[in-house]
């Protein structure tokens, strides 16, 4: 490749940053004849890996940077050789591009990063004239020359030893430089890792800040939830209290239904007793008619005037008995109607009782929220147990059949019976009872016992 096609990669790398031992130049002549091509031979060591932009330049001795080259050639890449073995390479410099002066020059191998990897011994471009000159000297000059040669030989040996020492130092320095390079690479790696860790730390700090803000939000939400739970618990306790009140009220209603059933049974017994009393009155009426016939027969024999008077009395008594029978019949009919109404109301209550159990919870809430309506006038005797709150102890389950007086629930039976008995006149002979307002009937009844 022509060295003038483009510029090689260079840098401001100085001699103390170079690695001269990685490329070794071989068979370097002391003198190269001007006007002829120059072949450069070099060896790539095992520790060096060539790249496509490496080049070999001719530098004047005393150069400072790789930019001070006189001419250069691209270094060819080795082919078919393992990278772990030394490789022999060759480059030919054309005579046209070579220096024309007799200064000292040297070959240098520069990689594509601008780093010197090897340098040759100095050489000159001039004709070697040592064989063409005949030197005539005296014997003393010969001795002096021999002495000088010996001194030069000693100096040469010393220089060789110094060169070997310098090469060893160079190798040691190269190893130290490699170690330094490795340490520098490690340092760069550590710096890169440190930067990554700093970025991660920054990210973690931001994440921690975000988590703290989220934790504060969660704390506020938790406080709201606690407040909601507290309100729900309060509502639950309030509803449980209402439910308990509703259940207690339902138990009271059930108790009142049982009491009402007992009242119905008592009224049924009272109705039965009145029916029996009416039957007894009818039987007594028949007996009175029979006795009247007998009295008429007996009085037909006695004095007509007294008989007529007695007959009129008996007729009046009979009329009074008929009127009493009609009154009792009307009371019996009223009692039957009232008993029928009570049975219908009792059936209605029994039908509504299961529904009351199913909606007890709803009733509790409804009673707490809705106003309580007043019971309708003219309804049940003891009020409708499903129309709001009823003060059951204010209603009576006992009512006097004579004067319709209502007694409280807690009245004793003996007091109630004494009150009812105060309205009656009891026959001392047959224990039959009559109302005090019907004293004439009672007297006629006693007279009938006297006629017997």
């Amino acid at each position: 490749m022509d060295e003038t096609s483009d510029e090689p990669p260079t840098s401001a790398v100085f001699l103390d940053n170079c690695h001269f031992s990685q490329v070794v130049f071989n068979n370097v002549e002391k003198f190269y004849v001007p006007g002829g091509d120059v072949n450069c031979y070099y060896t790539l060591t095992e520790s060096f890996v060539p790249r496509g932009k490496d080049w070999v330049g001719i530098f004047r001795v005393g150069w400072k940077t790789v930019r001070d080259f006189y001419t250069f050639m691209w270094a060819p890449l080795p082919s078919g050789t393992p990278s772990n073995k030394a490789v022999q390479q060759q480059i030919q410099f054309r005579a046209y591009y070579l220096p024309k002066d007799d200064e000292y020059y040297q070959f240098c191998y520069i990689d594509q990063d601008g780093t010197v990897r090897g340098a040759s011994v100095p050489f000159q471009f001039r004709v070697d004239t040592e064989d063409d000159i005949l030197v005539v000297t005296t014997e003393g000059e010969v001795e002096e020359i021999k002495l000088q040669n010996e001194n030069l030989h000693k100096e040469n040996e010393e220089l060789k030893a110094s060169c070997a020492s310098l090469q060893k130092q160079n190798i040691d320095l190269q190893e130290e430089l490699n170690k330094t390079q490795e340490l520098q690479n490690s340092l760069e790696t550590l710096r890169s890792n440190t930067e990554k860790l700093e970025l991660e730390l920054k990210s973690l700090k931001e994440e921690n800040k975000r988590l703290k803000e989220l934790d504060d939000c969660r704390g506020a939400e938790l406080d709201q939830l606690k407040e909601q739970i507290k309100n729900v618990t309060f509502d639950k306790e309030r509803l449980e209290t209402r439910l308990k009140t509703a259940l207690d009220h339902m138990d009271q209603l059930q108790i009142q239904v049982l009491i009402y059933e007992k009242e119905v049974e008592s009224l049924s017994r009272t109705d039965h007793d009145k029916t029996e009393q009416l039957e007894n009155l009818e039987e007594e009426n028949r007996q009175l008619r029979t006795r009247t016939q007998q009295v008429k027969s007996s009085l037909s024999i006695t004095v007509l005037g007294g008989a007529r008077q007695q007959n009129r009395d008996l007729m009046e008594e009979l009329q009074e008995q008929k009127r009493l029978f009609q009154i009792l019949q009307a009371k019996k009919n009223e009692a039957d109607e009232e008993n029928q109404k009570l049975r219908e109301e009792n059936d209605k209550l029994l039908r509504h009782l299961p529904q009351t159990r199913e909606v007890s919870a709803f009733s509790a809430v409804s009673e707490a929220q809705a106003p309580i309506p007043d019971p309708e006038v003219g309804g049940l005797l003891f009020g409708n147990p499903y129309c709001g709150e009823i003060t059951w102890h204010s209603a009576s389950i006992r009512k006097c059949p004579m004067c319709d007086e209502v007694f409280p629930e807690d009245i004793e039976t003996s007091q109630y019976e004494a009150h009812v008995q105060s309205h009656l006149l009891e026959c001392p002979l047959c224990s039959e009872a009559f109302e005090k307002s019907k004293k004439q009937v009672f007297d006629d009844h006693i007279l009938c016992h006297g006629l017997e």
Side-chain angles (χ1 to χ4, degrees), residues 284 291 425-434 442-452:
E284 184 179 354
R291 290 175 184 175
L425 296 174
E426 186 176 0
C427 178
L429 299 177
C430 63
S431 300
E432 186 175 358
F434 297 88
F442 176 74
D443 294 337
D444 293 339
H445 176 76
I446 296 298
L447 179 60
C448 291
H449 283 297
L451 295 176
E452 293 177 357

Side-chain angles (χ1 to χ4, degrees), residues 263-275:
E263 181 185 7
V264 171
E265 292 178 357
S266 176
L267 291 175
S268 299
R269 288 193 298 270
T270 303
D271 180 64
H272 181 69
D273 294 340
K274 287 185 178 181
T275 303

Side-chain angles (χ1 to χ4, degrees), residues 149-327:
N149 286 336
E150 289 177 358
N151 293 331
L152 290 173
H153 182 71
K154 289 180 181 180
E155 290 179 0
N156 189 20
E157 292 295 332
E158 292 177 356
L159 290 174
K160 286 183 178 180
S162 178
C163 182
S165 177
L166 290 174
Q167 287 180 352
K168 184 178 180 181
Q169 291 179 3
N170 188 19
I171 293 172
D172 294 338
L173 290 174
Q174 184 67 31
E175 291 178 354
E176 291 180 0
L177 185 60
N178 291 335
K179 292 180 180 179
T180 304
Q181 187 68 27
E182 292 177 357
L183 291 175
Q184 187 175 3
N185 294 333
S186 300
L187 181 61
E188 292 296 331
T189 303
L190 290 175
R191 286 178 180 174
S192 177
N193 293 333
T194 302
E195 291 177 356
K196 291 180 180 179
L197 290 175
E198 288 178 353
L199 292 175
E200 291 180 358
L201 180 61
K202 184 178 180 181
S203 177
L204 289 174
K205 287 182 179 179
E206 293 177 355
E207 183 69 17
N208 188 19
K209 182 178 179 181
R210 187 180 65 81
L211 290 175
K212 286 182 179 179
E213 293 176 355
L214 183 62
D215 184 61
D216 295 337
C217 295
R218 293 287 175 83
E221 292 178 358
L222 182 61
D223 294 337
Q224 292 179 359
L225 290 176
K226 287 182 179 179
E227 186 66 23
Q228 292 178 1
I229 291 173
K230 184 178 179 181
N231 295 333
V232 170
T233 304
F234 177 75
D235 294 339
K236 179 183 176 184
E237 292 177 354
R238 182 166 54 84
L239 291 175
E240 287 179 351
T241 304
R242 291 181 178 179
L243 179 60
K244 183 178 179 181
T245 304
L247 293 175
D248 294 339
H249 184 63
M250 188 181 69
D251 294 336
Q252 293 178 1
L253 290 177
Q254 291 177 352
I255 294 172
Q256 296 302 327
V257 168
L258 295 176
I259 295 173
Y260 194 74
E261 290 177 352
K262 291 180 181 179
E263 181 185 7
V264 171
E265 292 178 357
S266 176
L267 291 175
S268 299
R269 288 193 298 270
T270 303
D271 180 64
H272 181 69
D273 294 340
K274 287 185 178 181
T275 303
E276 291 180 353
Q277 183 180 3
L278 182 61
E279 292 177 353
N280 293 330
L281 289 174
E282 289 177 352
E283 181 66 26
E284 184 179 354
N285 190 17
R286 286 193 297 270
Q287 292 177 2
L288 287 174
R289 287 179 180 178
T290 303
R291 290 175 184 175
T292 301
Q293 295 295 331
Q294 292 176 357
V295 169
K296 285 181 179 181
S297 299
S298 60
L299 288 178
S300 60
I301 303 172
T302 59
V303 182
L304 182 61
R308 290 179 178 175
Q309 182 65 33
Q310 189 175 3
N311 190 20
R312 283 195 300 270
D313 295 337
L314 290 174
M315 290 298 294
E316 291 177 359
E317 183 179 356
L318 181 61
Q319 293 295 330
E320 185 67 23
Q321 289 293 331
K322 287 182 178 181
R323 190 175 62 82
L324 179 61
F325 176 75
Q326 292 175 356
I327 293 172

Side-chain angles (χ1 to χ4, degrees), residues 329-364:
Q329 185 67 31
K331 287 185 177 182
K332 179 178 179 298
N333 293 333
E334 292 178 358
D336 290 339
E337 292 178 358
E338 185 177 0
N339 188 18
Q340 183 65 26
K341 290 181 180 179
L342 290 174
R343 287 179 180 177
E344 292 176 356
E345 293 173 1
N346 187 25
D347 292 338
K348 185 184 297 184
L349 289 174
L350 291 176
R351 285 194 303 270
H352 284 288
L353 183 58
Q355 299 177 0
T356 306
R357 293 175 180 174
E358 293 178 358
V359 297
S360 59
F362 178 76
S363 298

